[in-house]
mmCIF file of all heavy atoms in Angstrom:
data_model
loop_
_atom_site.group_PDB
_atom_site.id
_atom_site.type_symbol
_atom_site.label_atom_id
_atom_site.label_comp_id
_atom_site.label_asym_id
_atom_site.label_seq_id
_atom_site.Cartn_x
_atom_site.Cartn_y
_atom_site.Cartn_z
ATOM 1 N N THR I 729 17.191 -30.789 -6.883
ATOM 2 C CA THR I 729 17.884 -31.486 -7.904
ATOM 3 C C THR I 729 19.336 -30.885 -8.252
ATOM 4 O O THR I 729 20.249 -31.511 -8.655
ATOM 5 C CB THR I 729 17.148 -31.600 -9.249
ATOM 6 O OG1 THR I 729 15.807 -31.837 -9.000
ATOM 7 C CG2 THR I 729 17.644 -32.714 -10.162
ATOM 8 N N LEU I 730 19.343 -29.552 -7.942
ATOM 9 C CA LEU I 730 20.613 -28.831 -8.309
ATOM 10 C C LEU I 730 21.838 -29.442 -7.476
ATOM 11 O O LEU I 730 22.971 -29.584 -8.000
ATOM 12 C CB LEU I 730 20.541 -27.405 -7.913
ATOM 13 C CG LEU I 730 19.948 -26.479 -9.076
ATOM 14 C CD1 LEU I 730 19.598 -25.197 -8.527
ATOM 15 C CD2 LEU I 730 21.010 -26.480 -10.183
ATOM 16 N N LYS I 731 21.514 -29.945 -6.260
ATOM 17 C CA LYS I 731 22.633 -30.546 -5.480
ATOM 18 C C LYS I 731 23.117 -31.821 -6.210
ATOM 19 O O LYS I 731 24.329 -32.152 -6.250
ATOM 20 C CB LYS I 731 22.080 -30.910 -4.061
ATOM 21 C CG LYS I 731 21.853 -29.687 -3.212
ATOM 22 C CD LYS I 731 22.798 -29.736 -1.964
ATOM 23 C CE LYS I 731 22.681 -28.571 -1.087
ATOM 24 N NZ LYS I 731 22.692 -27.199 -1.676
ATOM 25 N N ILE I 732 22.215 -32.553 -6.771
ATOM 26 C CA ILE I 732 22.691 -33.808 -7.517
ATOM 27 C C ILE I 732 23.363 -33.380 -8.735
ATOM 28 O O ILE I 732 24.539 -34.039 -8.966
ATOM 29 C CB ILE I 732 21.379 -34.525 -7.840
ATOM 30 C CG1 ILE I 732 20.498 -34.821 -6.707
ATOM 31 C CG2 ILE I 732 21.643 -35.823 -8.726
ATOM 32 C CD1 ILE I 732 20.790 -35.990 -5.893
ATOM 33 N N VAL I 733 22.947 -32.442 -9.409
ATOM 34 C CA VAL I 733 23.591 -32.025 -10.566
ATOM 35 C C VAL I 733 24.970 -31.519 -10.347
ATOM 36 O O VAL I 733 25.978 -31.824 -11.034
ATOM 37 C CB VAL I 733 22.703 -30.947 -11.343
ATOM 38 C CG1 VAL I 733 23.495 -30.253 -12.503
ATOM 39 C CG2 VAL I 733 21.422 -31.506 -11.902
ATOM 40 N N GLU I 734 25.104 -30.803 -9.214
ATOM 41 C CA GLU I 734 26.461 -30.276 -8.847
ATOM 42 C C GLU I 734 27.466 -31.368 -8.545
ATOM 43 O O GLU I 734 28.612 -31.263 -8.915
ATOM 44 C CB GLU I 734 26.341 -29.232 -7.720
ATOM 45 C CG GLU I 734 25.814 -27.880 -8.062
ATOM 46 C CD GLU I 734 25.731 -26.958 -6.849
ATOM 47 O OE1 GLU I 734 24.758 -27.225 -5.957
ATOM 48 O OE2 GLU I 734 26.542 -26.044 -6.806
ATOM 49 N N GLU I 735 27.005 -32.354 -7.830
ATOM 50 C CA GLU I 735 27.801 -33.472 -7.509
ATOM 51 C C GLU I 735 28.176 -34.140 -8.752
ATOM 52 O O GLU I 735 29.336 -34.549 -9.002
ATOM 53 C CB GLU I 735 27.070 -34.460 -6.572
ATOM 54 C CG GLU I 735 27.049 -34.002 -5.171
ATOM 55 C CD GLU I 735 28.337 -33.570 -4.597
ATOM 56 O OE1 GLU I 735 29.321 -34.353 -4.759
ATOM 57 O OE2 GLU I 735 28.445 -32.456 -3.944
ATOM 58 N N ALA I 736 27.192 -34.524 -9.609
ATOM 59 C CA ALA I 736 27.532 -35.156 -10.927
ATOM 60 C C ALA I 736 28.553 -34.335 -11.729
ATOM 61 O O ALA I 736 29.447 -34.940 -12.403
ATOM 62 C CB ALA I 736 26.203 -35.349 -11.676
ATOM 63 N N ALA I 737 28.390 -33.058 -11.731
ATOM 64 C CA ALA I 737 29.320 -32.256 -12.434
ATOM 65 C C ALA I 737 30.745 -32.350 -11.971
ATOM 66 O O ALA I 737 31.698 -32.346 -12.911
ATOM 67 C CB ALA I 737 28.911 -30.697 -12.380
ATOM 68 N N LYS I 738 30.935 -32.485 -10.751
ATOM 69 C CA LYS I 738 32.302 -32.710 -10.187
ATOM 70 C C LYS I 738 32.839 -34.041 -10.757
ATOM 71 O O LYS I 738 33.956 -34.080 -11.179
ATOM 72 C CB LYS I 738 32.351 -32.790 -8.694
ATOM 73 C CG LYS I 738 32.103 -31.500 -8.076
ATOM 74 C CD LYS I 738 32.199 -31.543 -6.575
ATOM 75 C CE LYS I 738 31.530 -30.428 -5.938
ATOM 76 N NZ LYS I 738 30.962 -30.761 -4.564
ATOM 77 N N GLU I 739 32.068 -35.014 -10.888
ATOM 78 C CA GLU I 739 32.542 -36.336 -11.289
ATOM 79 C C GLU I 739 32.686 -36.290 -12.879
ATOM 80 O O GLU I 739 33.693 -36.923 -13.371
ATOM 81 C CB GLU I 739 31.445 -37.448 -10.883
ATOM 82 C CG GLU I 739 31.377 -37.526 -9.464
ATOM 83 C CD GLU I 739 30.392 -38.579 -8.899
ATOM 84 O OE1 GLU I 739 29.800 -39.344 -9.733
ATOM 85 O OE2 GLU I 739 30.190 -38.594 -7.738
ATOM 86 N N LEU I 740 31.850 -35.556 -13.505
ATOM 87 C CA LEU I 740 32.032 -35.504 -14.979
ATOM 88 C C LEU I 740 33.441 -34.617 -15.237
ATOM 89 O O LEU I 740 34.053 -35.004 -16.209
ATOM 90 C CB LEU I 740 30.865 -34.703 -15.541
ATOM 91 C CG LEU I 740 29.557 -35.526 -15.696
ATOM 92 C CD1 LEU I 740 28.339 -34.585 -15.843
ATOM 93 C CD2 LEU I 740 29.652 -36.535 -16.870
ATOM 94 N N ALA I 741 33.701 -33.690 -14.430
ATOM 95 C CA ALA I 741 34.972 -32.954 -14.647
ATOM 96 C C ALA I 741 36.116 -33.842 -14.628
ATOM 97 O O ALA I 741 37.149 -33.645 -15.320
ATOM 98 C CB ALA I 741 35.030 -31.866 -13.614
ATOM 99 N N GLN I 742 36.003 -34.807 -13.757
ATOM 100 C CA GLN I 742 37.126 -35.807 -13.629
ATOM 101 C C GLN I 742 37.381 -36.586 -14.874
ATOM 102 O O GLN I 742 38.489 -37.084 -15.081
ATOM 103 C CB GLN I 742 36.892 -36.796 -12.408
ATOM 104 C CG GLN I 742 37.033 -36.066 -11.061
ATOM 105 C CD GLN I 742 36.440 -36.872 -9.989
ATOM 106 O OE1 GLN I 742 36.093 -38.125 -10.139
ATOM 107 N NE2 GLN I 742 36.235 -36.350 -8.794
#
Side-chain angles (χ1 to χ4, degrees):
T729 319
L730 273 167
K731 287 243 175 316
I732 306 280
V733 170
E734 282 181 289
E735 285 307 314
K738 284 182 202 154
E739 297 177 9
L740 285 161
Q742 288 167 10

